[in-house]
């Protein structure tokens, strides 16, 4: 399909059941299902997605290497973007930056952000605001 360089980020909920250390869902019969997550559009939030291409190989992703910045006006549970003009690139030469604004959850924003903070504690690719900072925007750089 020649979609080109791209990235996507989605918000899914884990099905009821046991999840192993690799994120695989263990079904009741003891077998694994790699499709352990499901979509819940009630979890739609304000999201943005940027994609950068390190075209000169210096390992630095700068503003002049930005392929796109997608800032939709409507709430998202999944955000994606591709640049069909940039083909045959290596994943290590791309950097995606996603922001997720948990304030979109209204009265449940603290519960959702606390759960997110707990689940992703120690993950270096996430920039998660400190509790009681007043910010509800998390950033994923990958």
């Amino acid at each position: 399909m020649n979609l080109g360089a791209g990235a996507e980020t989605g918000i899914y909920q884990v099905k009821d059941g046991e999840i192993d250390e690799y994120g695989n869902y263990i079904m009741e019969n003891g077998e694994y299902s790699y499709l352990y997550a499901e979509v819940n559009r009630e979890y739609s939030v304000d999201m943005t997605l940027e994609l950068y291409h390190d075209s000169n190989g210096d390992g630095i992703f700068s503003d002049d290497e930005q392929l796109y910045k997608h800032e939709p006006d409507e709430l998202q549970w999944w955000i994606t973007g591709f640049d069909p003009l940039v083909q045959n690139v290596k994943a290590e030469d791309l950097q995606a930056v996603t922001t997720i604004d948990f304030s979109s959850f209204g009265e449940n924003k603290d519960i959702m952000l606390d759960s997110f903070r707990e689940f992703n504690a120690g993950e270096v690719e996430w920039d998660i605001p400190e509790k009681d900072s007043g910010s509800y925007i998390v950033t994923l750089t990958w």
Side-chain angles (χ1 to χ4, degrees):
M1 291 182 25
N2 299 321
L3 294 175
E8 59 186 60
T9 304
I11 298 176
Y12 299 87
Q13 70 182 34
V14 177
K15 294 179 182 177
D16 290 336
E18 184 179 344
I19 305 296
D20 73 7
E21 68 224 65
Y22 304 106
N24 299 316
Y25 171 65
I26 303 171
M27 297 184 292
E28 288 182 17
N29 65 4
E31 294 182 13
Y32 284 101
S33 169
Y34 298 100
L35 301 174
Y36 66 87
E38 52 192 30
V39 172
N40 186 337
R41 286 185 168 80
E42 292 177 27
Y43 295 155
S44 295
V45 293
D46 286 320
M47 297 174 77
T48 67
L49 177 64
E50 301 172 52
L51 185 66
Y52 298 86
H53 177 220
D54 181 17
S55 56
N56 60 14
D58 64 3
I60 300 171
F61 297 94
S62 61
D63 287 343
D64 62 337
E65 296 176 307
Q66 186 179 61
L67 297 179
Y68 61 80
K69 183 172 186 173
H70 183 40
E71 299 176 300
D73 293 328
E74 61 279 344
L75 300 179
Q76 308 287 305
W77 63 268
W78 179 64
I79 191 167
T80 185
F82 294 90
D83 187 334
L85 301 178
V86 180
Q87 296 284 327
N88 303 316
V89 296
K90 297 177 184 174
E92 60 264 18
D93 292 335
L94 296 173
Q95 181 183 68
V97 179
T98 303
T99 63
I100 302 170
D101 185 350
F102 281 88
S103 66
S104 305
F105 283 113
E107 64 184 40
N108 293 323
K109 63 188 177 193
D110 290 309
I111 295 168
M112 294 299 289
L113 184 55
D114 286 346
S115 295
F116 186 85
R117 188 180 285 118
E118 181 180 339
F119 185 79
N120 293 291
E123 300 292 334
V124 297
E125 57 274 340
W126 286 104
D127 180 15
I128 304 171
E130 296 291 323
K131 194 169 181 74
D132 300 323
S133 70
S135 176
Y136 290 91
I137 298 175
V138 300
T139 304
L140 167 63
T141 304
W142 53 287

